């Protein structure tokens, strides 16, 4: 035990080489012989879940406030770069003493480039969706990521699901369709961006799962490599897509919201992987659906939206279908 402590007292950057992939599903670091968690471990896990929930809700509302400013709305890439930089910094700090949440590894930048491109694409499109859609519609559209993953897995890898899982997927699609009607009539561009956002998210999730297994690393280890590299990859595109803002003309509360959004983005990225590592993907899915309900409620409340009976039915179908699919999916893997 003393030797292990001395060995972990030094920070090492290991070179990791990929190996041939046999599955597209991510493998997270777990102990070989799991033991019942102690009271202290349960408290720590609950703290990470609470942090993840708070970070998710805060990030959405902070980003909505940031993009309400006309200048920052035209600086999508620079805002994303700030979020990536903050994420990389927080992840790096978490590998150092006294935290040592996980061990850092060094991956090949050339082999990381494609996954960084997917990473940047899904974040940028997600921000655009949040910019041109209400918080409620933005969050509900994200539920469509699950059906999109299923479809892409079938097209790319010929993976099939059970009829009950298919029924849950159909329920999700019908539910979102019932709530999308009013938005489609007034914000067609926002709907198109939302579709592109959840499609790119699905592609990223599939690709990231494959790379986690290829490199035999955990999610945070991969994210620590891809976050700073994503910033570098976006730099050449900034002059073509962004307009340099006049910082002095941006209100102070917007600047503070921008700074806080970077911190929330980093805490969100770190906590979501730690929740899966400490519990299970099923627990994370349940937490995710609870967050969706909270965000939808806060979003519609802040927008002063009064939901119709059809929209309420759509929300129940979409969230219920997502919850059922999560349970069926995890039971199938056991």
């Amino acid at each position: 035990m003393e030797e292990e402590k001395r060995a972990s007292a030094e920070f090492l950057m290991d070179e990791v080489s990929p190996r041939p992939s046999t599955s597209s599903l991510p493998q997270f670091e777990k102990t070989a012989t799991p033991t019942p968690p102690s009271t202290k471990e349960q408290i720590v896990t609950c703290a990470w879940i609470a942090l993840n929930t708070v970070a998710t809700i805060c990030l959405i509302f902070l980003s909505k406030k940031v993009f309400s400013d006309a200048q920052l709305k035209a600086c999508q890439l620079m805002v994303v770069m700030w979020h990536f930089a903050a994420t990389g910094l927080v992840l790096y700090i978490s590998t150092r003493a006294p935290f040592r949440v996980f061990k850092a590894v060094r991956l090949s930048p050339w082999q990381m480039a494609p996954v960084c491109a997917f990473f940047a694409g899904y974040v940028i499109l997600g921000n655009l969706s949040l910019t041109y859609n209400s918080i409620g519609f933005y969050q509900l559209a994200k539920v469509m990521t699950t059906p999109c993953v299923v479809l892409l897995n079938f097209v790319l890898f010929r993976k099939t699901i059970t009829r009950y899982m298919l029924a849950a997927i159909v329920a999700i699609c019908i539910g979102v369709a019932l709530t999308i009607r009013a938005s489609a009539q007034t914000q067609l561009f926002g709907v198109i961006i939302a579709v592109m956002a959840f499609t790119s998210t699905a592609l990223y999730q599939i690709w990231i799962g494959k790379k986690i297994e290829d490199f035999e690393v955990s999610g945070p280890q991969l994210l620590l490599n891809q976050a700073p590299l994503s910033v570098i990859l976006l730099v050449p595109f900034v002059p073509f897509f962004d307009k340099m803002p006049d910082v002095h003309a941006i209100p102070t509360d917007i600047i503070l919201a921008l700074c806080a959004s970077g911190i929330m983005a980093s805490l969100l990225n770190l906590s979501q992987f730690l929740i899966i590592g400490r519990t299970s993907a099923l627990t994370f899915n349940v937490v995710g659906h609870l967050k969706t309900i909270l965000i939808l409620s806060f979003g519609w409340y802040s927008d002063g939206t009064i939901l119709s009976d059809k929209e309420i039915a759509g929300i129940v179908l979409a969230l219920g279908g997502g919850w059922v699919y999560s349970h069926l999916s995890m039971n199938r893997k056991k």
Side-chain angles (χ1 to χ4, degrees), residues 155-329:
V155 173
L156 298 175
F157 307 107
R158 288 295 182 266
K159 289 187 176 182
T160 58
I161 59 176
T162 66
R163 66 182 67 178
Y164 300 106
M165 295 170 73
L166 180 60
I169 292 297
V170 171
I172 294 174
C173 295
I174 294 175
V176 174
L178 290 175
T179 60
I180 205 175
R181 186 175 180 182
S183 298
Q185 291 174 350
T186 58
Q187 290 281 348
L188 180 59
F189 180 73
V191 173
I192 294 173
I193 291 295
V195 172
M196 294 174 63
F198 69 68
T199 301
S200 62
T201 302
L203 285 169
Y204 173 70
Q205 289 181 359
I206 293 173
W207 188 265
I208 204 70
K210 186 176 184 299
K211 287 302 177 182
I212 285 175
E213 182 174 323
D214 287 349
F215 289 111
E216 293 186 297
V217 295
S218 67
Q221 289 173 329
L222 190 66
L223 186 59
L224 178 58
N225 282 268
Q226 71 186 53
L229 183 57
S230 296
V231 175
I232 297 174
L233 289 176
L234 289 177
V235 170
F237 298 97
V238 170
F240 300 98
F241 294 96
D242 284 7
K243 294 180 180 179
M244 191 61 62
D246 180 5
V247 179
H248 299 289
I250 300 176
T252 303
D253 59 331
I254 299 294
I255 295 294
L256 292 176
L258 177 63
C259 296
S261 68
I263 298 173
M264 290 299 121
S266 59
L267 294 177
L268 169 63
N269 289 326
L270 176 61
S271 61
Q272 66 182 1
F273 287 114
L274 291 174
I275 292 173
I276 296 175
R278 300 178 69 89
T279 57
S280 66
L282 177 58
T283 300
F284 184 74
N285 272 281
V286 172
V287 172
H289 293 309
L290 291 176
K291 288 192 300 183
T292 299
I293 294 173
L294 287 173
I295 294 168
L296 286 172
S297 301
F298 282 126
W300 278 314
Y301 175 78
S302 63
D303 292 337
T305 303
I306 300 177
L307 302 178
S308 65
D309 293 339
K310 184 181 291 186
E311 288 173 323
I312 293 174
I315 294 168
V316 173
L317 273 175
L319 296 181
W323 186 83
V324 170
Y325 179 85
S326 298
H327 278 270
L328 293 176
S329 179

Side-chain angles (χ1 to χ4, degrees), residues 1-10:
M1 180 63 70
E2 292 298 325
E3 293 181 357
E4 293 178 356
K5 290 181 179 180
R6 286 195 297 271
S8 63
E10 297 182 359

